[in-house]
């Protein structure tokens, strides 16, 4: 049974939500600390995990595979989702705690999806476009190895949270090979250093400070008629401007493709709880992700 989000955690979300942007690092820590014990009670049965496969030479170029246990009679290949964590370009890891971000991959695997949790290189040592290059390498690894784990390399999706979506977006809408779909959760899909952006200096650590270079690197500028299907989700209480940038991405995709896709705004959630809630009883995001990945091609 999926654990309910306890009332004290919900109360804390309601208390810090309206002032989320006043102390993003502190509020992120509070949510990580609040959700980790909740997710420790989440179901992990029926999932096999194989860890730390290298997809490059750097120590951070590793990934974990979350595979559903299957009956011998099941032969159909499973859709594959590669997930990239957030961290404002200079921080973060695939296992932020023993429960976060593995909760995302456990949820996917429990619903018949092969999940791949991707670690990648960070700024300031590794600058733009190193994240995009890491996505490219991880996708190549998945195409070559997914079938070994029961995954279908022809049904490969990218999913990312926060800064991770800057890297997946650059691949999905830029020069990357075609993928089956892109899932953006509270994604930083525009590179900017606006005065009220509390993470502006972290953006600069990855992209630099030249305004023209920032504009050129912004993923929203590369969508077009042939862009992959995209699911976009934001929280009610976001890091400043992330919801604005995601709305811009949604509009640009709709205008380019002549139809509106799916845009979720999860009431009550903040930038961290939106992703930490996966594999809890709050399945608003999880159900939409599974439906998106499972939809007929």
């Amino acid at each position: 049974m999926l654990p309910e989000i306890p009332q004290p955690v919900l109360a804390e979300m309601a208390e810090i939500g309206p002032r989320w942007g006043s102390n993003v690092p502190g509020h992120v820590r509070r949510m990580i600390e609040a959700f980790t014990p909740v997710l420790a009670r989440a179901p992990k049965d029926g999932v096999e995990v194989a860890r730390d496969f290298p997809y490059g030479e750097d120590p951070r170029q590793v990934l974990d595979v979350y595979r559903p246990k299957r009956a011998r009679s099941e032969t159909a290949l499973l859709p594959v989702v590669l997930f990239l964590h957030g961290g404002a370009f200079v921080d973060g890891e695939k296992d932020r705690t023993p429960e976060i971000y593995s909760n995302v991959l456990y949820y996917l695997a429990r619903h018949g999806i092969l999940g791949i949790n991707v670690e990648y290189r960070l700024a300031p040592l590794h600058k733009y476009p190193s994240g995009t290059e890491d996505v490219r390498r991880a996708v190549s690894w998945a195409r070559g190895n997914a079938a070994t784990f029961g995954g279908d390399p022809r049904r490969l999706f990218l999913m990312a949270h926060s800064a991770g979506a800057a890297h997946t977006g650059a691949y999905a809408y830029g020069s990357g090979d075609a993928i089956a779909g892109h899932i953006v959760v509270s994604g930083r899909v525009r590179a900017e250093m606006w005065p009220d952006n509390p993470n502006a200096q972290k953006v600069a650590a990855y992209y630099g400070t030249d305004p023209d270079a920032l504009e050129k690197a912004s993923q929203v500028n590369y969508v077009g008629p042939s862009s992959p299907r995209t699911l976009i989700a934001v929280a009610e209480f976001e890091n400043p401007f992330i919801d604005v940038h995601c709305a811009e991405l949604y509009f640009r995709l709709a205008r380019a493709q002549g139809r509106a896709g799916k845009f979720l705004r999860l009431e009550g959630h903040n930038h961290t709880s939106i992703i930490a809630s996966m594999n809890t009883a709050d399945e608003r995001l999880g159900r939409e992700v599974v439906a998106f990945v499972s939809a007929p091609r």
Side-chain angles (χ1 to χ4, degrees):
M1 180 179 295
L2 291 169
E4 298 284 347
I5 301 175
Q7 189 58 42
V9 177
L10 293 173
E12 187 171 16
M13 290 165 59
E15 187 262 320
I16 68 175
R19 52 189 181 88
W20 180 265
S22 66
N23 181 12
V24 171
H27 293 154
V28 168
R29 284 194 298 271
R30 286 176 64 177
M31 287 294 96
I32 294 293
E33 292 168 359
F35 272 89
T36 293
V38 178
L39 291 168
R41 304 194 303 273
K44 302 175 178 66
D45 53 298
V47 179
E48 298 175 338
V49 184
R51 299 188 183 276
D52 293 328
F53 290 98
Y55 67 87
E57 297 179 357
D58 190 272
R60 287 187 65 90
Q61 290 174 319
V62 294
L63 51 82
D64 303 336
V65 179
Y66 289 69
R67 172 172 60 178
K69 293 180 182 178
R70 307 172 70 193
R72 291 177 179 268
S73 59
E74 295 181 278
T75 58
L77 294 177
L78 303 172
V80 181
V81 172
L82 283 81
F83 176 79
L84 269 73
H85 62 79
F89 302 107
V90 301
D91 194 10
E93 51 194 320
K94 59 184 172 64
D95 293 302
R96 177 70 184 257
T97 73
E99 305 297 335
I100 300 171
Y101 292 91
S102 63
N103 62 305
V104 176
L105 290 306
Y106 274 115
Y107 186 88
L108 295 176
R110 290 179 48 251
H111 288 81
I113 298 167
L114 185 72
I116 299 178
N117 199 7
V118 180
E119 191 64 274
Y120 57 89
R121 295 171 294 170
L122 299 174
L125 183 61
H126 301 283
K127 298 182 180 295
Y128 175 81
S130 65
T132 313
E133 294 166 353
D134 285 357
V135 173
R136 189 183 309 279
R137 285 175 177 243
V139 167
S140 178
W141 187 96
R143 292 200 192 281
N145 293 277
T148 303
F149 299 94
D152 186 349
R154 299 167 301 174
R155 287 197 292 162
L156 194 153
F157 297 78
L158 293 173
M159 177 179 178
H161 177 236
S162 196
H167 307 317
T168 58
Y171 181 91
Y173 308 128
S175 59
D177 294 335
I179 57 172
H182 187 212
I183 302 161
V184 176
V185 182
S186 300
R188 188 166 290 285
V189 292
R190 172 172 280 284
E192 46 82 9
M193 294 184 61
W194 296 353
D196 293 332
N197 177 359
N199 284 328
Q201 294 306 313
K202 296 177 181 180
V203 171
Y206 180 63
Y207 290 107
T209 59
D210 179 70
D212 291 337
L214 290 168
E215 184 65 23
K216 187 176 181 180
S218 294
Q219 298 76 49
V220 293
N221 292 323
Y222 293 94
V223 300
S226 61
S227 292
R229 286 194 306 129
T230 301
L231 169 65
I232 302 170
V234 300
E236 179 180 3
F237 305 111
E238 277 292 354
N239 289 6
F241 309 124
I242 278 186
D243 49 353
V244 176
H245 302 330
C246 284
E248 181 183 6
L249 175 64
Y250 177 76
F251 168 74
R252 290 196 178 209
L253 281 165
R255 184 173 65 178
Q257 298 180 337
R259 56 183 174 81
K262 189 82 172 185
F263 188 97
L264 306 175
R265 183 176 184 269
L266 272 68
E267 302 297 320
H269 274 297
N270 55 59
H271 182 73
T272 300
S273 69
I274 187 174
I275 198 71
S277 66
M278 284 191 68
N279 218 26
T280 74
D282 185 347
E283 295 187 83
R284 286 178 287 172
L285 176 60
R287 288 196 189 104
E288 293 288 353
V289 171
V290 170
F292 179 81
V293 172
S294 304
R297 287 173 284 176

